[in-house]
Amino acid sequence: MYDRVTAPPASRTDFVLESIKEAILNGKLKPGQALVETDLAAALAVSKTPVREALKTLAGSGLVVMSPYRGAAVRTVDAELARSVYDVRLLLEPEALRRSVRLGASFDEAASALEDVPDLARRSLANRRFHRALYAGCDNPLLVEVLDGLSDQAALITVAGWGIHPSWDDEAAEHRAILAAAVRGSAELAAELLHRHVQTFADRVVRELSDVLR
């Protein structure tokens, strides 16, 4: 179930954290699925202590919910969560990209994230890398921190959206157009294309999640 990271972090807690996070973000651990400490520890060949610490961290980032009676579970994605997360992204991410372009930031990392990913489950992780590379060069650490703080939940929503309606081919084409504008130095066009890209996906996911609950 879990894919080992290429270069395991120094501590076991970090290793467990990255392993569980990747399993959630690539859809191997489903929204609403219970996260049993003993099962996770056995799967990752560690004790329960690093698993417990990792689950607390994931709860803080919004990927996991903790209940005193039911324990931990992967966060369930609903329309309200998607609406809230994407509302903030639409306010901040295009502006961060606009600043990155104007500052002459490098978008090499964004370009590498566009490489074909044959494993469909990993496309969410590539999508996340692409978007972060767009805003990382905005020269505002707090802005980057806020967007990073949303990235886990945004990736979880992306997995849910693709599960309902696979649309990665269309989004990959939109990514290429955004990147091309950014590399050309067209800050306003890049920001406009990014806003349209995020808005289109958000509208669809909110609508489809609302339909699922009816």
Side-chain angles (χ1 to χ4, degrees):
M1 176 179 290
Y2 305 98
D3 296 319
R4 304 284 177 164
V5 292
T6 303
S11 75
R12 285 192 175 183
T13 299
D14 287 344
F15 169 69
V16 172
L17 173 65
E18 292 304 316
S19 297
I20 298 175
K21 178 188 288 188
E22 183 170 350
I24 292 173
L25 295 182
N26 66 24
K28 292 181 180 179
L29 289 172
K30 307 297 183 183
Q33 183 173 338
L35 300 172
V36 182
E37 289 181 10
T38 52
D39 293 346
L40 294 171
L44 294 169
V46 296
S47 69
K48 291 197 298 183
T49 299
V51 172
R52 187 176 302 118
E53 293 304 312
L55 291 178
K56 289 179 182 177
T57 300
L58 291 169
S61 69
L63 288 182
V64 168
V65 291
M66 307 284 283
S67 167
Y69 303 107
R70 298 182 180 179
V74 179
R75 184 166 188 171
T76 299
V77 176
D78 57 23
E80 187 56 37
L81 173 64
R83 188 180 294 109
S84 298
V85 169
Y86 279 87
D87 185 37
V88 178
R89 284 188 65 190
L90 283 165
L91 289 171
L92 299 181
E93 194 171 332
E95 175 59 25
L97 172 58
R98 182 182 290 109
R99 296 183 182 191
S100 294
V101 175
R102 288 175 175 169
L103 290 168
S106 169
F107 296 101
D108 290 347
E109 178 66 19
S112 69
L114 289 180
E115 295 175 1
D116 185 47
V117 182
D119 180 357
L120 300 184
R122 292 181 179 275
R123 285 181 171 174
S124 173
L125 300 175
N127 180 68
R128 177 179 177 168
R129 281 180 55 217
F130 175 80
H131 279 273
R132 190 184 194 283
L134 295 181
Y135 64 74
C138 70
D139 196 31
N140 185 324
L142 182 56
L143 182 53
V144 172
E145 182 180 348
V146 172
L147 287 168
D148 281 351
L150 292 172
S151 63
D152 283 349
Q153 294 180 68
L156 187 62
I157 295 165
T158 298
V159 170
W162 284 349
I164 298 171
H165 180 137
S167 57
W168 46 77
D169 289 336
D170 291 340
E171 286 146 29
E174 292 169 5
H175 283 176
R176 288 190 290 272
I178 294 166
L179 179 59
V183 170
R184 289 198 308 269
S186 302
E188 292 304 322
L189 177 59
E192 179 185 345
L193 291 173
L194 176 60
H195 189 282
R196 188 184 309 163
H197 166 72
V198 174
Q199 184 75 69
T200 299
F201 185 81
D203 288 346
R204 179 176 67 78
V205 169
V206 168
R207 181 176 62 253
E208 291 175 344
L209 288 172
S210 297
D211 291 342
V212 166
L213 295 177
R214 288 176 185 171

